[in-house]
Amino acid sequence: MVLVEARLRGPVADLLMDAFNEPCTVALDRAESSLLHTVGLIAAELEQPRCGQPTLLHRAGDILFIGVLRQLVARPANELGGILSGLADPRLARALVALHARPQSAWTLERLAEEAGMSRTAFTRHFHAVMRMPPGRYLQMVRLAIARSAVAAGKGLKQAALAAGYQSTAALSRALSRPSGRQHHAQRAAIAQ
């Protein structure tokens, strides 16, 4: 068993990490060959340490993590929904990849549905069923994460709003002042105690 610590950054990092709230296992007997090669490389390196081992293991760890993510997307382990299930769905994956690549674009339901090759109604229903949230809420979460990251990096509200696709700094300011789902959940838990 290998224990891996991963730190993710980017607009969907929190959504991706939500997929790992519970321990996740990948059966190697059903794994893709690229993942098996990476596991074999790491195992060989751990059995016989050589010079450069820390650097090799660090880089191999990155490749291992990507391989595990690809495996989970190719064969989702559960039906709980979320980002991995969305990326596993070929139609939704096209829309999600486009949205992640250009989050500041003027996305509409029509444009996202077009990316997915679906009607607006079918896309909305399917997105909600797979991702467990409406498309607009998902886009809002991605944009807000980008804006928060920009603000934390020292960029002003104007630059953060542009990077995240907000129409104005006032709109971003309102969005930043609302508690996120995680903050809201933590606040409710604290009140319940």
Side-chain angles (χ1 to χ4, degrees):
M1 178 176 279
V2 176
L3 175 64
V4 177
E5 179 181 337
R7 291 190 183 104
L8 302 178
R9 292 183 204 92
V12 295
D14 285 345
L15 295 170
L16 192 54
M17 290 308 292
D18 284 347
F20 299 100
N21 281 338
E22 297 294 322
C24 180
T25 5
V26 173
L28 292 178
D29 59 341
R30 293 179 300 165
E32 295 178 359
S33 62
S34 59
L35 181 57
L36 290 174
H37 289 304
T38 305
V39 169
L41 172 71
I42 292 171
E45 194 64 29
L46 290 172
E47 286 175 12
Q48 186 178 17
R50 296 181 289 181
C51 64
Q53 183 189 47
T55 303
L56 185 140
L57 288 175
H58 177 72
R59 296 229 164 82
D62 291 343
I63 295 167
L64 175 66
F65 186 69
I66 292 167
V68 167
L69 286 178
R70 287 179 176 174
Q71 182 76 24
L72 293 172
V73 166
R75 295 178 185 92
N78 60 48
E79 299 299 321
L80 297 177
I83 188 75
L84 293 178
S85 296
L87 291 171
D89 183 291
R91 295 175 299 176
L92 290 185
R94 289 192 300 267
L96 289 170
V97 168
L99 187 150
H100 296 157
R102 300 178 311 279
Q104 68 279 31
S105 289
W107 289 109
T108 61
L109 276 175
E110 289 81 10
R111 282 191 61 213
L112 287 169
E114 186 179 301
E115 288 284 343
M118 301 171 76
S119 73
R120 176 185 159 162
T121 303
F123 173 75
T124 302
R125 286 184 184 142
H126 190 61
F127 191 100
H128 196 280
V130 173
M131 297 289 291
R132 303 294 193 245
M133 70 179 72
R137 181 167 161 226
Y138 182 80
L139 175 60
Q140 180 184 31
M141 289 172 63
V142 170
R143 286 181 171 170
L144 194 54
I146 291 168
R148 283 191 173 122
S149 178
V151 168
K155 295 181 181 175
L157 281 182
K158 186 174 183 177
Q159 283 183 307
L162 279 172
Y166 282 92
Q167 297 299 314
S168 67
T169 55
L172 173 58
S173 201
R174 283 190 302 276
L176 287 171
S177 67
R178 288 189 296 265
S180 71
R182 289 170 185 254
Q183 291 169 329
H184 183 66
H185 181 69
Q187 288 171 350
R188 284 189 6 214
I191 292 169
Q193 294 174 356

